[in-house]
Amino acid sequence: MQQNEMKLEFDSRSCNESFARVAVAAFMTQLNPTLEEAADVKTAVSEAVTNAILHAYRNSLPDTVDKIWITCRIRDDLLEVEVRDSGCGIADVRRAMEPFFTTEEENDHSGMGFAFMEAFMDTLQVESAPGGGTCVRMTRRIGRETEAPDAPLPKDDVETRGQRTDEWNRPLR
């Protein structure tokens, strides 16, 4: 059984969102994800971190910097990602997870953060309480997509697009 774990703690600054998603993507490379799988996980992490930055600490003093924590675990082909804050919390998690629900309409927020997380990951759990922070847990199995079989390689001395190639499709010299 393959197992590994990573923990990050970083400031709740918007410039750290890209750091967080790249760090999670780098961690998951040991599972050899497809580009689509890596992009999906990065998008979900980006949404979770952005929610924490924009909403969890919205009541903090202007120059206050709070923390966000990410824990990633690998268990065989399962990637587990947890994004946690100690901010203001969510009073009604079920309502907050509805597509297009936002508390920030005046700031052009779409209310699609949780919907994106749910769409790009296999599971999504949100635990929160007013004044108690929020914990977003997501999982994704990596490598389960069946790839279409490659076309058969040309045989030795077969002409391909005007070039003669060997069995590995390398041009003959």
Side-chain angles (χ1 to χ4, degrees), residues 81-103:
V81 180
E82 180 179 291
V83 179
R84 190 170 43 89
D85 64 64
S86 59
C88 64
I90 302 170
D92 187 346
V93 172
R94 181 180 292 189
R95 184 162 182 232
M97 291 180 72
E98 291 176 4
F100 304 110
F101 175 80
T102 181
T103 58

Side-chain angles (χ1 to χ4, degrees), residues 15 70-71 74-75 82 85-86 89 103 117 131 138 152 165 170:
C15 62
I70 295 181
T71 302
I74 289 176
R75 299 176 203 276
E82 180 179 291
D85 64 64
S86 59
T103 58
M117 289 178 238
M138 305 175 281
T165 62
R170 294 179 297 202

Side-chain angles (χ1 to χ4, degrees), residues 34-53:
T34 64
L35 290 175
E36 182 179 346
E37 289 169 331
D40 288 354
V41 170
K42 286 168 58 177
T43 299
V45 168
S46 177
E47 292 295 333
V49 170
T50 298
N51 275 358
I53 292 168

Side-chain angles (χ1 to χ4, degrees), residues 48-63:
V49 170
T50 298
N51 275 358
I53 292 168
L54 294 178
H55 302 296
Y57 300 117
R58 66 177 173 241
N59 298 329
S60 296
L61 296 173
D63 292 327

Side-chain angles (χ1 to χ4, degrees), residues 4-5 7 13 16 20 40 61 85 97 99 108 130 146 149 152 156-157 160 167 170:
N4 200 3
E5 183 177 87
K7 292 185 179 189
R13 300 178 190 274
N16 287 332
D40 288 354
L61 296 173
D85 64 64
M97 291 180 72
D108 290 330
T146 306
D156 193 14
D157 279 352
T160 306
E167 70 270 16
R170 294 179 297 202

Side-chain angles (χ1 to χ4, degrees), residues 137-167:
R137 289 187 184 92
M138 305 175 281
T139 65
R140 173 78 185 251
R141 290 223 179 268
I142 304 298
R144 68 171 177 203
E145 297 174 11
T146 306
E147 296 183 19
D150 292 332
L153 293 173
K155 302 237 186 263
D156 193 14
D157 279 352
V158 173
E159 190 139 335
T160 306
R161 293 189 192 142
Q163 267 190 325
R164 293 169 59 89
T165 62
D166 65 12
E167 70 270 16

